[in-house]
């Protein structure tokens, strides 16, 4: 029986390596991989062992920064991109064939993908895969799972629980005595310990009183990028007195007697059972490995925050972001769609319009009806200079110059679709995107 379980896990892990040592991969032929991992995922013990094996093979990692999110849901995808993904995918059934492939670039812990799969009609029609350089799990929610066994914590309101977990997570992740600094100073020893074995989170929680002893606050969720700097700062703090009274009291109790709040059953359990990861359809690899997929084989490709750190660098000749979009254009089938909020170069201070011009040149040379679109909507407070009409995402429609499939599936009435060519030729609009008119000047330079 034990050998059978090991064989199942070994087979499941093989699914993650599909992109290794293969070329011209047609994902439509690998729908059985989804079922293999789903069968393991439905058994809590098998899943825990799978996650341990994945960790040992360096496939699994905790999020490396406290403000990284790998558990965004579809509602957040809507707000970030301006497109209702579930409605869009549902409407694509009219122009696609059963078994066609949806591919997400950077699915985090797979939370949004699991929401998509919860729609039975979509799950039975499409095969949903994702490419991830690493499969990350959220430490914040893991702390909540561990504390949930504590009756005192369990009696708190949901808001108080959220405040406790957020505070404790940041205390553990940052160097002792630095939690109120403007910059983030990570505790590399703690991160290394849970990277090597997530069960090390238990002793770290059991000794949290050492770090809590001189902590007066933690960074809030809202950092800022000064106009004179590229580095994000965190001047705003959350102090104990800012929390719900019950949350503040719980943290004080945790500081005095942490051992009273860590249940012995949890200490002796396998913490891998608590990981919030949905691994179905995940493929481990660099985004550039999308080149290994068959041309004209993908119905819908999307990325929310996944392509943010890809950069075009003219000095080195490395065009990571625009090259990816050009590759995706080849991989999309007729009628296929690509959606990406990575056009916002980290926090929306700059928009990658020159990069999109490079993609537009490829489209122009193909003489097809492929079209670049820009989804515009309300700006993100603290990020976008234009709060009424910021660029939220970019889309490509393969073989179509009709934006109706996008405009019919917008998040709400505040968002609208414009062609990319229309946007870059609108000087007045480009000048509203930042106070220095840098985005406009970059477009002028790229087109001169």
């Amino acid at each position: 029986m034990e050998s059978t379980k090991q064989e199942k896990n070994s087979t499941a892990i093989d699914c993650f390596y599909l992109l290794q040592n293969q070329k011209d991969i047609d994902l439509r032929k690998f729908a059985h991989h989804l079922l293999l991992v789903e069968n393991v995922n439905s058994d809590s013990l098998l899943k825990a062992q799978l996650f341990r094996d994945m960790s040992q093979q360096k496939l699994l990692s905790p999020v490396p920064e406290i403000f990284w999110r790998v558990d965004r849901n579809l509602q957040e995808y809507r707000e970030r991109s301006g497109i209702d993904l579930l409605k869009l995918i549902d409407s694509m059934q009219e122009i696609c064939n059963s078994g066609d492939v949806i591919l997400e670039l950077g699915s985090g812990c797979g939370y949004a993908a699991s929401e998509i799969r919860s729609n039975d009609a979509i799950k039975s029609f499409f095969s949903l895969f994702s490419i991830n350089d690493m499969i990350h799990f959220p430490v914040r929610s893991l702390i909540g799972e561990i504390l949930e066994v504590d009756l005192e914590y369990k009696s708190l309101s949901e808001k108080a629980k959220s405040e406790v977990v957020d505070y404790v997570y940041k205390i553990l992740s940052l160097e002792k005595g630095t939690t109120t600094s403007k910059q983030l100073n990570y505790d590399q020893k703690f991160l290394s310990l849970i990277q090597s074995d997530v069960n090390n989170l238990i002793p770290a929680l059991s000794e949290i009183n050492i770090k809590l002893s001189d902590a007066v606050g933690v960074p809030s969720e809202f950092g800022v990028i000064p106009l004179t700097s590229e580095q994000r700062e965190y001047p705003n703090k959350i102090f104990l007195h800012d929390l719900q009274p019950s949350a503040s009291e719980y943290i004080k109790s945790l500081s005095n007697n942490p051992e009273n709040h860590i249940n012995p059953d949890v200490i002796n359990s396998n913490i891998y059972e608590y990981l919030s990861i949905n691994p179905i359809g995940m493929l481990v690899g660099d985004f550039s490995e999308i080149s290994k997929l068959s041309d004209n084989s993908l119905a819908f490709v999307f990325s929310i925050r996944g392509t943010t750190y890809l950069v075009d660098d003219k000095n080195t000749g490395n065009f990571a972001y625009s090259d990816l979009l050009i590759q995706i254009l080849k991989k999309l089938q007729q009628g296929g769609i690509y959606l990406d909020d990575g056009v916002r170069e980290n926090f929306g201070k700059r928009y990658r319009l020159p990069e999109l011009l490079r993609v537009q040149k490829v489209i122009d040379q193909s003489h097809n009806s492929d079209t670049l679109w820009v989804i515009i909507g309300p700006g993100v407070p603290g990020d976008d200079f234009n709060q009424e009409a910021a660029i939220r995402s970019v889309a490509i429609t393969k073989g179509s110059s009709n934006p109706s499939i996008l405009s019919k599936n917008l998040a709400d009435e505040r968002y609208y679709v414009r062609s990319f060519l229309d946007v870059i030729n609108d000087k007045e609009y480009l000048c509203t995107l930042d106070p220095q008119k840098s985005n406009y000047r970059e477009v002028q330079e790229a087109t001169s």
Side-chain angles (χ1 to χ4, degrees), residues 337 369-371 373 397 399-408 417:
I337 298 172
S369 299
D370 309 336
T371 310
W373 307 96
T397 50
S400 173
S401 57
N402 188 340
S404 62
I405 195 165
L406 299 172
S407 57
K408 288 178 181 177
V417 182

Side-chain angles (χ1 to χ4, degrees), residues 147-287:
L147 292 179
E148 190 66 39
V149 184
D150 178 23
L151 293 178
E152 187 177 340
Y153 175 85
K154 205 166 187 174
S155 67
L156 298 175
S157 68
E158 290 304 312
K159 180 174 174 57
K161 286 180 181 179
S162 177
E163 290 179 344
V164 166
V165 168
D166 183 68
Y167 198 92
V168 168
Y169 170 52
K170 291 171 181 175
I171 291 292
L172 285 172
S173 300
L174 300 174
E175 283 281 2
K176 184 177 184 295
T178 70
T179 58
T180 53
S181 300
K182 274 190 177 182
Q183 305 298 334
L184 301 180
N185 302 291
Y186 286 97
D187 185 336
Q188 297 301 331
K189 182 181 178 182
F190 167 73
L191 295 176
S192 178
L193 282 171
I194 59 172
Q195 169 80 59
S196 62
D197 186 348
V198 73
N199 286 308
N200 288 325
L201 183 57
I202 293 295
L205 269 173
S206 301
E207 298 173 356
I208 194 173
N209 56 310
I210 298 172
K211 280 190 165 184
L212 283 171
S213 61
D214 61 356
V216 294
V218 295
S220 78
E221 295 288 350
F222 299 101
V224 297
I225 301 179
L227 291 176
T228 56
S229 171
E230 290 295 323
Q231 189 169 14
R232 202 167 180 86
E233 294 182 351
Y234 299 84
N236 302 320
K237 307 299 174 186
I238 301 171
F239 299 99
L240 273 180
H241 60 74
D242 296 323
L243 306 181
Q244 298 268 305
S246 57
S248 178
E249 287 304 312
Y250 184 86
I251 291 170
K252 288 177 184 177
S253 177
L254 193 62
S255 177
N256 293 329
N257 299 290
E259 65 279 0
N260 291 348
H261 299 281
I262 309 299
N263 191 291
D265 291 339
V266 173
I267 294 174
N268 297 320
S269 67
N270 183 355
I271 303 304
Y272 287 93
E273 292 182 34
Y274 294 85
L275 290 185
S276 298
I277 300 175
N278 192 308
I280 303 168
M282 288 185 173
L283 309 174
V284 176
D286 188 86
F287 290 165

Side-chain angles (χ1 to χ4, degrees), residues 10-11 24 64 66-67 78 118 127 152 156 172 189 193 222 257-258 265 401 413 420 430:
S10 178
T11 304
D24 197 21
I66 60 174
F67 291 108
R78 280 167 51 104
S118 68
S127 294
E152 187 177 340
L156 298 175
L172 285 172
K189 182 181 178 182
L193 282 171
F222 299 101
N257 299 290
D265 291 339
S401 57
E413 67 281 354
F420 171 67
L430 293 177

Side-chain angles (χ1 to χ4, degrees), residues 359-390:
V359 180
Q360 183 64 51
K361 286 180 182 178
V362 173
I363 291 175
D364 292 341
Q365 291 166 4
S366 70
H367 303 294
N368 294 326
S369 299
D370 309 336
T371 310
L372 267 173
W373 307 96
V374 176
I375 290 86
I376 295 173
V380 178
D383 287 350
D384 297 292
F385 180 71
N386 187 331
Q387 285 293 291
E388 284 73 43

